[in-house]
Each structure stands twice: as structure tokens, then as C-alpha cells.
Amino acid sequence: MNVVLKDLRAFWVLDSRANPALEVWAFVEKNGKVFNGSFIVPSGASTGEFEALELRDSGKEFHGKGLNKAIQSVYYIRDHFFNTIVDDLFLFDKKLLDLDGTDNKSKLGANAILGVSMSVAKALANSFDMPFFKFLTLLTGSKDYYLPVPFMNIINGGVHADNKLDFQEFMICPVFFDSFSDALKAGSEIYNSLKKILKKEGYSISVGDEGGFAPNFSTPFQACEYIIKAIDDSGYNDRVLLALDVAASSMFDNSKNLYKYQDSFISSDDLMKIYDDLLLKYPIISIEDPFAEEDWDSWIKFTKKYGNKINIVGDDLFVTNVQRLSKGIKLQASNSILIKLNQIGTLTETINAINLAKENGFSSIISHRSGETEDNTISHIATNVGYSIKTGAPARSERNSKYNELRRIEEFYNIGFVGERVLGKFYEDRVVSRNI
Ligand code: PGA
Ligand code: ZN
């Protein structure tokens, strides 16, 4: 039975940083009945140089972040596709790309295109009377659903916080639990233990963009030390591992070809030594963007050394783009990809990146952006295809909307937790490092 596009609506709502975010609604008709789907497009701060273009007005309104042009793009798309069949999403997304006609979606805007791609997909899922995580199997072929390990960012630094931490994210990964709810509970308890410790020691308990604390620490060692203390105080000492997002592109100085670290400039080899020390001292299972997005040689060197011990995750490196991911696979520059829908701009291009990763033994971590809303669609994508989800601290509702949707999926669909399967081939190495 054909599904036909009947209408699109687009307007702005506010995100977690008081900036406008694009909300799009799609209305489709099947069998004489109308179904709808909606999506709110998030927005990054430490954006990769090679991300698709987020169309903003650059006028006076909203400090240049207005969305009038993106809203107009959605209505242009609506007029173009009104009354056309949209039940093949790969084909529909391809037509959207053709209509835009640019390499980085700069004509219509990746935010407008993604809003349409996702809202149409969600309307289609509704027309099939399927929860989105199940509907996605028609596109991904994925058959085993698991609730993902949440990578919870409990100390914020870099461009997400106003402190001296050069690394952007310090995350806890509650791996050794039987259910998602137990893992999330551990995250909540550790978060609040950390809050108590920080308060007791006179540190600020104000938070950064992703809900993690932003104390005035200056070294990544200090941040890891406090997190370990909070894990141990909560009684989870052998069940929770650590992950970092360095977001090293934000530390890189192009003219010097060096990384800014603690008020000085260091080489990629020196940065590598810091990772050596951190990996020796702490049970870290994953390091994201350890080097800048064009520092391929350092990525390759790092992967040679640690590629069979930890996740080495390309975020700014790959920008959810199959071309850049293919290069990374060929060069063996990492072993994992961060998946952000709005880096590439359509659902099916995102799925192509996830599938290419899988075919090549790369893991996928489904991710939010630092500028978020109550939209919880990524929880469904993570349940369908990802073994892990990165969506901030277990605090602030724009982050918890994702964790809470995973709780609903757990309650209503009785889906198991991926747990230690997330470690895959790294199991032995990292487990030994925490003496479990
Ligand atoms: P962003 O940060 O959304 O500001 O890009 C998230 C990340 O780097 O993973
Ligand atoms: Zn990142």
C-alpha cells in the first residue's frame, strides 16, 4: 500500500542553550488515513569541520541563529514532494539530496533536510503501527535488539564548560549490570556521589552543556580520579568503566600544528603519552577524537597501539560520513564511529554509515548533540543498531528524555540490556585492568 506525503509543517522551538531548534512535522496518507511524525533537530558546539551545513539566518534575531531560511526550505521541499509516494525512504532521501544538489547540503540546509527525512520516517513508522526502534529494522536489517550501555558524561570541559579542562567529556559506562534500569540507577547514584564529593571539597557543582559537573579542575587525571572516587563511594567499584571524549580538534592549533594543553602547546606524541598514562591508571574503555580531524597519522599510530584494547571513536574525524569512514577503515585509523544524525543530514545516510561500520568490525555509538531538546528518537536508533548511546549526564531533562525513553522501551517491550557484550573483543584487556 502506497504512502503519500500530504503536508509538512516547520517552526522553531528552543533548545537547551536557549537557541532555536527546528521542529518538523510530516503528515502522510495511507489507505485514506493520515499519520504524522515529528522530529526536533539538535545542534552541536564542537562541530567537525566536515559536517553538513546547519542553515541559520545570520541576521540580528537570535544572535544570528534564526531559522527562517531553514523553515522556508522545509516548505520548498513540501511543495516539491506534495502528493508523491514516500514509502521507500532510501529513495526519498536520495531525492532530497538531489533537490539540494550540493555536497554539504548548503542550499536547503542539513537541519531542514534532516527534519524532513526524520519526520517522514517517523510518520511511516506510525502508518505501520510500529514503535520506531522496530520499524528501523526495515532499513537496517538488524534483528537483535538490546538496550544500549549509556555513556554518561558527568564531568564537562572543553568548549562545553567554562573551566580549565582541555578534554571535553569524562564519561561513566555502567557495563556490568543485568538490566538497563540497574545501569541507569548506578549512573544516577554515581552522579550524586560525585556532587557530594565536589561540594565537600569546595568545588563548584554548577554544570556544563551536557549536564555534567564543570569544577575548576585542570587535568584529565584529576577528573578521572574524582570519578573513580564517586564510583567507589557508590559501591560500584568493579562494575563501571570510563570513557573520554577529548574533542581534540578543539585543542588543535593549525598554524603551530600543535595541541593546546594546560596553557602550553604540545605535540601529538606528547598527547599520546598523556593517553598512555591515563590508560595505565584508569579503566578507560573508549577514547573519542584523541586527535584532530585531519591528523590522520596520529590516529593511525594510536590505533596500531591501542586498537585491540579500547574503542577509538571518530566523531569530528568521520562526521557520520561514509566517505570519511571508508578512508578511516582503509587506513585503519580507528575502530569505532560516533553517529550523529545532523552531522550528515538524512536518516538513510546515517544508516549507511552504521552498516558500513558494522561490516568492517567498527562499533557505532549513537549520540546526541550538546544543544539538545526533549526529542528522544536517538534512543530508538540505539536500541535498534547501537550497543551504546552517548547522551550526557543522567541529569537535565533534554538528556534524561533519552534515558527515560529507553526506560519506557524496557518496561513496555521487555528488551534486555547489552551489558558486557558492549566490550566485545576488548573484554579481557579492560576487565583485567580493573581487577574484576
Ligand atoms: P557537540 O559535542 O554536540 O558540541 O559537537 C558532542 C561531541 O563532541 O561528541
Ligand atoms: Zn565528540
Side-chain angles (χ1 to χ4, degrees), residues 9 16 19-20 72 75 105 169 176 180 187 198-199 246 267 340 375 383 395 401 403 408 421 431:
R9 290 285 303 271
S16 54
N19 292 322
Q72 278 165 21
Y75 289 116
K105 303 183 176 66
E169 300 175 22
F176 300 99
F180 176 78
L198 292 173
K199 208 167 171 180
V246 179
S267 67
K340 291 170 166 169
D375 193 287
T383 302
S401 67
Y403 295 130
R408 284 177 207 108
R421 270 172 288 230
V431 171

Side-chain angles (χ1 to χ4, degrees), residues 17 43-48 51 159-160 168-169 209-210 245 247 288-289 315-316 338 340 343 367-371 390:
R17 284 193 281 242
S43 183
S46 66
T47 47
E51 292 193 22
V159 301
H160 291 169
Q168 184 176 281
E169 300 175 22
D209 281 3
E210 297 190 352
D245 179 6
E288 180 181 331
D289 283 350
D315 170 14
D316 292 346
L338 199 77
K340 291 170 166 169
Q343 277 182 330
S367 174
H368 67 160
R369 298 308 303 247
S370 51
K390 188 177 105 148

Side-chain angles (χ1 to χ4, degrees), residues 335-362:
N335 59 21
S336 182
I337 179 172
L338 199 77
I339 297 290
K340 291 170 166 169
L341 290 155
N342 78 323
Q343 277 182 330
I344 188 67
T346 62
L347 173 62
T348 56
E349 286 173 290
T350 306
I351 286 169
N352 287 341
I354 292 168
N355 287 344
L356 180 65
K358 196 172 175 187
E359 282 157 23
N360 288 280
F362 276 44

Side-chain angles (χ1 to χ4, degrees), residues 5 76 152 198 225 268 270 302 321 392 416:
L5 183 70
Y76 175 76
M152 292 181 261
L198 292 173
E225 208 56 55
S268 55
D270 289 338
F302 191 63
N321 178 313

